[in-house]
Short mmCIF file of all heavy atoms in Angstrom, two decimals:
data_model
loop_
_atom_site.label_atom_id
_atom_site.label_comp_id
_atom_site.label_asym_id
_atom_site.label_seq_id
_atom_site.Cartn_x
_atom_site.Cartn_y
_atom_site.Cartn_z
N ASN A 95 117.63 89.80 14.28
CA ASN A 95 116.63 89.68 13.22
C ASN A 95 116.64 90.88 12.30
O ASN A 95 116.50 90.74 11.09
CB ASN A 95 115.24 89.50 13.85
CG ASN A 95 114.15 89.49 12.80
OD1 ASN A 95 113.50 90.51 12.58
ND2 ASN A 95 113.97 88.36 12.16
N SER A 96 116.84 92.08 12.86
CA SER A 96 116.83 93.28 12.03
C SER A 96 118.04 93.36 11.11
O SER A 96 118.01 94.07 10.10
CB SER A 96 116.76 94.54 12.90
OG SER A 96 117.98 94.75 13.58
N ILE A 97 119.09 92.64 11.41
CA ILE A 97 120.25 92.58 10.52
C ILE A 97 120.10 91.43 9.52
O ILE A 97 120.40 91.58 8.34
CB ILE A 97 121.56 92.44 11.32
CG1 ILE A 97 121.82 93.73 12.09
CG2 ILE A 97 122.73 92.12 10.42
CD1 ILE A 97 123.00 93.67 13.01
N ALA A 98 119.63 90.29 9.98
CA ALA A 98 119.54 89.11 9.12
C ALA A 98 118.40 89.21 8.09
O ALA A 98 118.55 88.74 6.96
CB ALA A 98 119.35 87.86 9.97
N ALA A 99 117.28 89.83 8.46
CA ALA A 99 116.12 89.88 7.55
C ALA A 99 116.43 90.61 6.24
O ALA A 99 116.13 90.08 5.17
CB ALA A 99 114.92 90.50 8.26
N PRO A 100 117.02 91.82 6.27
CA PRO A 100 117.35 92.46 4.99
C PRO A 100 118.41 91.69 4.20
O PRO A 100 118.38 91.68 2.97
CB PRO A 100 117.87 93.84 5.38
CG PRO A 100 117.36 94.09 6.74
CD PRO A 100 117.24 92.74 7.38
N ALA A 101 119.33 91.04 4.90
CA ALA A 101 120.36 90.26 4.21
C ALA A 101 119.71 89.11 3.44
O ALA A 101 120.07 88.84 2.29
CB ALA A 101 121.37 89.72 5.21
N VAL A 102 118.73 88.45 4.05
CA VAL A 102 118.03 87.36 3.38
C VAL A 102 117.18 87.90 2.23
O VAL A 102 117.15 87.33 1.14
CB VAL A 102 117.14 86.58 4.39
CG1 VAL A 102 116.22 85.61 3.69
CG2 VAL A 102 118.01 85.87 5.40
N GLU A 103 116.51 89.02 2.48
CA GLU A 103 115.61 89.59 1.47
C GLU A 103 116.35 90.04 0.21
O GLU A 103 115.85 89.88 -0.90
CB GLU A 103 114.86 90.77 2.07
CG GLU A 103 113.83 91.37 1.14
CD GLU A 103 113.06 92.50 1.80
OE1 GLU A 103 113.13 92.65 3.03
OE2 GLU A 103 112.40 93.24 1.05
N PHE A 104 117.53 90.60 0.37
CA PHE A 104 118.24 91.17 -0.78
C PHE A 104 119.40 90.30 -1.26
O PHE A 104 120.24 90.77 -2.02
CB PHE A 104 118.75 92.57 -0.43
CG PHE A 104 117.65 93.56 -0.24
CD1 PHE A 104 117.24 93.94 1.03
CD2 PHE A 104 116.99 94.09 -1.34
CE1 PHE A 104 116.21 94.85 1.20
CE2 PHE A 104 115.95 95.00 -1.17
CZ PHE A 104 115.56 95.38 0.10
N LYS A 105 119.45 89.02 -0.88
CA LYS A 105 120.55 88.15 -1.30
C LYS A 105 120.56 87.93 -2.81
O LYS A 105 121.61 87.68 -3.39
CB LYS A 105 120.51 86.83 -0.56
CG LYS A 105 119.36 85.93 -0.94
CD LYS A 105 119.38 84.65 -0.16
CE LYS A 105 118.17 83.82 -0.55
NZ LYS A 105 118.02 82.64 0.23
N THR A 106 119.42 88.06 -3.46
CA THR A 106 119.37 87.86 -4.91
C THR A 106 120.09 88.98 -5.67
O THR A 106 120.43 88.80 -6.83
CB THR A 106 117.91 87.78 -5.41
OG1 THR A 106 117.23 88.98 -5.03
CG2 THR A 106 117.21 86.57 -4.83
N GLU A 107 120.33 90.11 -5.01
CA GLU A 107 121.03 91.22 -5.65
C GLU A 107 122.54 91.09 -5.52
O GLU A 107 123.27 91.98 -5.95
CB GLU A 107 120.56 92.54 -5.05
CG GLU A 107 119.10 92.82 -5.35
CD GLU A 107 118.63 94.14 -4.76
OE1 GLU A 107 119.48 95.02 -4.50
OE2 GLU A 107 117.41 94.28 -4.57
N GLY A 108 123.02 90.02 -4.91
CA GLY A 108 124.45 89.78 -4.79
C GLY A 108 124.95 90.09 -3.39
O GLY A 108 124.25 90.67 -2.57
N PHE A 109 126.19 89.69 -3.15
CA PHE A 109 126.75 89.86 -1.81
C PHE A 109 127.14 91.29 -1.50
O PHE A 109 127.04 91.73 -0.37
CB PHE A 109 127.94 88.93 -1.60
CG PHE A 109 127.54 87.50 -1.39
CD1 PHE A 109 127.84 86.54 -2.35
CD2 PHE A 109 126.85 87.11 -0.26
CE1 PHE A 109 127.46 85.22 -2.16
CE2 PHE A 109 126.47 85.80 -0.07
CZ PHE A 109 126.78 84.85 -1.03
N VAL A 110 127.59 92.04 -2.51
CA VAL A 110 128.03 93.41 -2.24
C VAL A 110 126.86 94.38 -2.26
O VAL A 110 126.58 95.07 -1.28
CB VAL A 110 129.11 93.84 -3.26
CG1 VAL A 110 129.47 95.30 -3.07
CG2 VAL A 110 130.34 92.97 -3.13
N LEU A 111 126.14 94.45 -3.38
CA LEU A 111 125.04 95.41 -3.51
C LEU A 111 123.75 94.93 -2.85
O LEU A 111 122.86 95.73 -2.58
CB LEU A 111 124.78 95.71 -4.98
CG LEU A 111 125.94 96.39 -5.71
CD1 LEU A 111 125.61 96.57 -7.18
CD2 LEU A 111 126.28 97.71 -5.07
N GLY A 112 123.64 93.67 -2.59
CA GLY A 112 122.45 93.14 -1.93
C GLY A 112 122.66 92.99 -0.44
O GLY A 112 122.23 93.83 0.36
N VAL A 113 123.35 91.93 -0.06
CA VAL A 113 123.55 91.62 1.35
C VAL A 113 124.34 92.71 2.06
O VAL A 113 123.93 93.24 3.08
CB VAL A 113 124.24 90.24 1.51
CG1 VAL A 113 124.56 89.96 2.97
CG2 VAL A 113 123.37 89.13 0.94
N GLY A 114 125.49 93.06 1.50
CA GLY A 114 126.35 94.03 2.15
C GLY A 114 125.75 95.41 2.28
O GLY A 114 125.86 96.07 3.31
N ALA A 115 125.09 95.87 1.23
CA ALA A 115 124.53 97.23 1.23
C ALA A 115 123.23 97.33 2.02
O ALA A 115 122.94 98.36 2.61
CB ALA A 115 124.30 97.70 -0.20
N LYS A 116 122.46 96.29 2.06
CA LYS A 116 121.13 96.36 2.68
C LYS A 116 121.07 95.81 4.10
O LYS A 116 120.07 95.99 4.79
CB LYS A 116 120.11 95.60 1.82
CG LYS A 116 120.02 96.07 0.40
CD LYS A 116 119.40 97.43 0.31
CE LYS A 116 119.23 97.80 -1.16
NZ LYS A 116 118.62 99.06 -1.35
N MET A 117 122.13 95.13 4.54
CA MET A 117 122.09 94.45 5.83
C MET A 117 121.79 95.40 6.98
O MET A 117 121.09 95.05 7.92
CB MET A 117 123.41 93.73 6.09
CG MET A 117 123.31 92.80 7.26
SD MET A 117 124.79 91.83 7.65
CE MET A 117 125.56 91.50 6.14
N PHE A 118 122.28 96.61 6.93
CA PHE A 118 122.12 97.53 8.05
C PHE A 118 121.06 98.61 7.78
O PHE A 118 121.05 99.63 8.45
CB PHE A 118 123.46 98.17 8.41
CG PHE A 118 124.42 97.19 8.99
CD1 PHE A 118 125.42 96.64 8.21
CD2 PHE A 118 124.31 96.78 10.30
CE1 PHE A 118 126.31 95.72 8.74
CE2 PHE A 118 125.18 95.85 10.85
CZ PHE A 118 126.19 95.32 10.06
#
Side-chain angles (χ1 to χ4, degrees):
N95 175 262
S96 71
I97 292 175
V102 170
E103 184 178 346
F104 293 102
K105 70 181 178 186
T106 58
E107 295 180 22
F109 285 112
V110 175
L111 296 177
V113 175
K116 304 290 185 179
M117 191 178 327
F118 292 100

